[in-house]
Amino acid sequence: MTLAKTKSVSLLGVDGYVVDVEAAITSGVPGLHLVGLPDTALSEARDRVRAAIYNSGEDWPNRHVTVSLFPASLPKKGSFYDLAIAIALLAAAEAVPPRSCAGLVVIGELGLDGRVRAVPGVLPAVLAAANAGCRTAVVPLANRAEAALVPDVEVIGTATLRGLLAILRDEAPPVEETDAEPDPPPAAHDGLAGRVPDRRAVLDLSDVRGQAEGRRALEISAAGGHHLYFAGPPGCGKTMLAERLPTLLPQLEPDAALEVTAIHSVAGTLPPGQPLITRPPFHAPHHTASAAALAGGGSGRVLKPGAVSLAHRGILFLDEAPEFRWGALDVLRQPLEEGEVRISRAEGTACFPARFTLVLAANPCPCAAATQMDCSCAPSARRKYQSRLSGPLLDRVDLKLELAPASRAELRYDLEFAEPSEVVAERVAAARERTLKRLSDTPWRTNSEIPGPEVRRAFTPSAAAMGAVDAALQNGSLSARGLDRVLRVAWTIADLADRDEPDADDIGGALALWMGRRS
Ligand SMILES: Nc1ncnc2c1ncn2[C@@H]1O[C@H](COP(=O)(O)OP(=O)(O)O)[C@@H](O)[C@H]1O
Ligand SMILES: [Mg+2]
Ligand SMILES: [Zn+2]
């Protein structure tokens, strides 16, 4: 009996587990037996591996071959393991030196012609392999750049099985490996789904005229990570403002960039060549999106992250929010509370990070008339439309603002007063710095992350400044949970003003934004 071993990775959500791939050749009826894969994946993998080995000019070992993937209990969906199975099998047949593949972690789908196809999730897979002590990873050439983001791992990118065999045999690479497919052109890699790639680069807050309150709310949201709701008639600039929120946010820290990139790797939305996502994502699902599209899951072979995870560490923008399907927005509750979504399937529970700033926009009524005078909706229809956003959802939104259209004078003459994103982003960065200093001994990084009990314990401003909220608590217009939210925003306003503690004005401003303010 000859034996050979290599490794691969099983992915559940963005969590990877190293899988041992072992091949044994024994006497017995010729054939390939795969152990440790679910039935359908098993027969598909067997067919692909066999065709790919033939078409790469290798001899098929005409013996009894068993390849086992261990532990069998780990979920093994998709075609992640083709290349590892082929390599282990050929090593057991001594077509390549068995020692050459023993320390490798091998990831890749095989085409029938022996081509190595890109697979989603290579970055989290290689991260997991690195954490388990693997030092060399073989990945599809098209996924090489994202795998190379993982520190301390040597990455071998291969376009064909033949090319990988040459490397393992210490031979010169075959010709087709040197003229492998050119990289496709870069796509949008900031999660701005369905938009032209470079559109974001040209968005700037100075495009928005007037709307001082709207701009201010964006600044507070950017500084503290507070959820935001814009109501107002069509054409008043709600979408325009929301789309410019990312321009106020700082770059992602290196660990956050890797975390975000791992999610987009599983989603299969990374551009080849320059895969690291360094800007906070902006994800704007259409209002026809299903609950599954928002939360993640899907019926494909690999669990896909949903909109809430594609927006992780960035913005989830729900434009025309009341138009979303009944119930679809309920899936936001878990990520808003816990910063992650869990998706249960027969093979286990996948967990995707989902910590985002929620931005909602809504017209006042379904007919989308520009003014209330033009509106043809019955008052009950207007009320019903506005109540489609559930109380529990709006309760989690710190900043609520009703926008009026910019006046004609503002649209014409406000050009030179409209601050550009760069200037506002500097104030946001300074405020975040201040927050960070105050929270340096805590796990939280922005004011919106501080848990309620902690806000009340350590971040209650002086009684003298609390007059407005005391009155609101007394007359019942503010709940205990609302109080926590108001105080968090008040701290952000104080941080933006470079004050040590919120004063009465900061708290009053925060309270007004919580209650819903008309501009
Ligand atoms: N304050 C503003 N400054 C500059 N342009 C504006 C402003 N408000 C609206 N517009 C113009 O109106 C268009 C519609 O704005 P939009 O943000 O889509 O409105 P809403 O989402 O509120 O319906 C924008 O593309 C822009 O051309
Ligand atoms: Mg709009
Ligand atoms: Zn109407």
Side-chain angles (χ1 to χ4, degrees), residues 207-209 211 233-240 406 411:
D207 306 335
V208 182
R209 290 170 226 164
Q211 299 300 11
C236 72
K238 303 181 295 295
T239 303
M240 205 181 175
L411 287 177

Side-chain angles (χ1 to χ4, degrees), residues 317-407:
F317 177 40
L318 304 183
D319 206 357
E320 320 281 355
E323 301 279 344
F324 277 78
R325 295 180 199 177
W326 281 105
L329 297 185
D330 289 347
V331 306
L332 298 177
R333 202 166 305 173
Q334 188 185 46
L336 285 174
E337 289 291 309
E338 299 168 29
E340 60 181 33
V341 270
R342 288 181 303 280
I343 304 162
S344 292
R345 285 289 187 279
E347 63 275 11
T349 298
C351 189
F352 286 108
R355 196 177 290 284
F356 50 84
T357 300
L358 178 65
V359 180
L360 303 164
N363 293 327
C365 71
C367 84
T371 67
Q372 193 156 352
M373 265 181 331
D374 300 330
C375 169
S376 57
C377 306
S380 64
R382 289 175 68 92
R383 267 198 309 277
K384 193 167 158 216
Y385 190 74
Q386 284 161 14
S387 69
R388 288 189 67 151
L389 291 179
S390 71
L393 183 63
L394 285 182
D395 267 357
R396 293 184 167 85
V397 178
D398 304 343
L399 313 170
K400 307 181 193 78
L401 198 63
E402 195 170 325
L403 298 172
S407 69

